[in-house]
Amino acid sequence: MKLILLGPPGAGKGTQAARIAERLSVPVVSTGEILRAAIKDETELGALAKGYLDAGELVPDDIIIGIMRGRLQQKDCEGGFILDGVPRTLEQAAALEQMGVDIDRVIDLEVDDAEIVSRLSGRRVCPSCKAIYHIESEPPAVADICDVCGAALEIREDDKPETILERLRVYHDQTEPLRSYYKKAGKLRSIDGTGDINDVTRLALAALEG
Ligand code: AP5
């Protein structure tokens, strides 16, 4: 299964990608995670990307397309994959096609802007195993400590209020057009992303069937 998770920042793409990946036994390819790892490791890519992430802007298409091409050629992607946060522009979607990648399904998580702001303001992430929490809807058992690996949880750099609003603006302007692009291709399944996390997973898995 070659799957894209589409939706605004904070819609739950990362949360659902981890759950669906476990069910399907396929890897998650998250360009956001790849970029954050590059920034942490102070690589050339990280230095290039940091300003864009901090400002809530998209990293240029040529860089993202290069990352996608390299990652999807790796052996673990041979049996399928979940794309989380990519493609994010029509150019990136076209590049995927040019690479010969035939996407089976695009799950579109629908969440309104007010809910997004509340979710991202309360998000905590594990810098080590990448588990995702929310201080109200998905809290860790011990405050600020990862349930999975025990690391101290962090707030993402781009989860500041002003950056959240800019990321939403960028989503509506540059990424939302992908909904009609994949709808025309008959691949889009829009689901309500506002329910309980388990309910959203159920809807997503059901959308893979139909
Ligand atoms: P990226 O890392 O992809 O971030 P994003 O799209 O902004 O999405 P998020 O990771 O913020 O949210 P999510 O949808 O995964 O939600 P989550 O599951 O964490 O990109 C970051 C940056 O990298 C971009 O701004 C850009 O600069 C750059 N970049 C990356 N890819 C790029 C590309 N292709 N092209 C150009 N630039 C690119 O959930 C959010 C919170 O909500 C959590 O606290 C979670 O616990 C909670 N939550 C989840 N589901 C529910 C639920 N059902 N109910 C209640 N709470 C919930």
Side-chain angles (χ1 to χ4, degrees), residues 3 8 14 33 41 46-47 57 63 76 82 85 88 102 110 135 138 143-144 154 158 185 190-191 193 195 208:
L3 175 67
E33 283 303 336
D41 295 344
E57 306 298 336
I63 297 177
D76 64 333
I82 300 175
R88 234 171 166 107
D102 188 17
E110 293 183 316
I135 50 174
E138 190 77 350
D144 294 327
E154 293 180 349
D158 56 351
S190 294
I191 62 170
L208 297 182

Side-chain angles (χ1 to χ4, degrees), residues 6-17 30-36 49-61 64-65 68 84-89 92 109 111 115-116 118-125 132-139 156 158-159 163 167 170-171 175 192-201:
L6 194 62
K13 301 184 296 294
T15 301
Q16 296 302 331
S30 160
T31 37
E33 283 303 336
I34 292 170
L35 294 167
R36 278 186 290 280
K50 186 173 176 4
Y52 295 102
L53 269 83
D54 287 351
E57 306 298 336
L58 294 186
V59 171
D61 284 332
I64 296 293
I65 291 165
M68 258 197 319
D84 164 11
V86 69
R88 234 171 166 107
T89 63
Q92 293 176 18
L109 295 170
V111 181
E115 170 73 10
I116 292 297
S118 139
R119 283 189 185 181
L120 293 183
S121 313
R123 174 164 59 184
R124 299 292 181 272
V125 292
I132 303 168
Y133 299 88
H134 188 277
I135 50 174
E136 283 160 12
S137 63
E138 190 77 350
R156 249 171 63 174
D158 56 351
D159 280 349
T163 317
R167 287 162 63 201
V170 167
Y171 165 77
T175 306
D192 180 5
T194 59
D196 171 78
I197 291 176
N198 292 322
D199 291 339
V200 178
T201 307

